Amino acid sequence: MQAGKLKTIGIALVVLSGVFWLIIPVVHLFNIPLWLAGTIDVSLFVAAEIVFWVGAAILGKPFVQKMKEMFKFWRRKSS
C-alpha cells in the first residue's frame, strides 16, 4: 500500500475516534433504557480509544510526538 493512502487511513481513523467521542452525549437524548445507553457509551468509549491508537500507530512516531507537544501542559514537570 502506498504511504499516502496509509496516511489518509490513519488520519481518517483519528477523526473517526473524535466522532465516537461526540456521539457519546447524543446517545442520552434518545428515549432508550439507561442500561442500553450505558452499554452504548462504554462501547463507543472503547471503540474510540482503539480506533485512535490504531490510527496513531499508522501515522507513526512523528504524529505521537506532535500530540505530546500539543498536550504537554497535561504532563507534570519533574523537579
Side-chain angles (χ1 to χ4, degrees), residues 23-47:
I23 293 173
I24 289 174
V26 174
V27 169
H28 297 280
L29 299 176
F30 296 103
N31 190 17
I32 58 175
L34 189 59
W35 67 268
L36 182 58
T39 303
I40 293 170
D41 285 348
V42 170
S43 301
L44 285 170
F45 172 77
V46 170

Side-chain angles (χ1 to χ4, degrees), residues 12-77:
L13 288 174
V14 170
V15 170
L16 181 63
S17 170
V19 171
F20 286 162
W21 276 104
L22 293 174
I23 293 173
I24 289 174
V26 174
V27 169
H28 297 280
L29 299 176
F30 296 103
N31 190 17
I32 58 175
L34 189 59
W35 67 268
L36 182 58
T39 303
I40 293 170
D41 285 348
V42 170
S43 301
L44 285 170
F45 172 77
V46 170
E49 290 298 314
I50 291 171
V51 168
F52 176 82
W53 287 109
V54 169
I58 290 172
L59 291 173
K61 191 173 182 178
F63 173 77
V64 175
Q65 287 176 338
K66 281 185 182 180
M67 292 298 293
K68 283 183 180 179
E69 289 174 13
M70 286 176 52
F71 297 108
K72 68 181 175 184
F73 61 89
W74 283 359
R75 295 186 297 182
R76 292 184 179 180
K77 294 180 181 177

Side-chain angles (χ1 to χ4, degrees), residues 1-2 9 27 53:
M1 200 175 241
Q2 295 175 348
I9 290 171
V27 169
W53 287 109

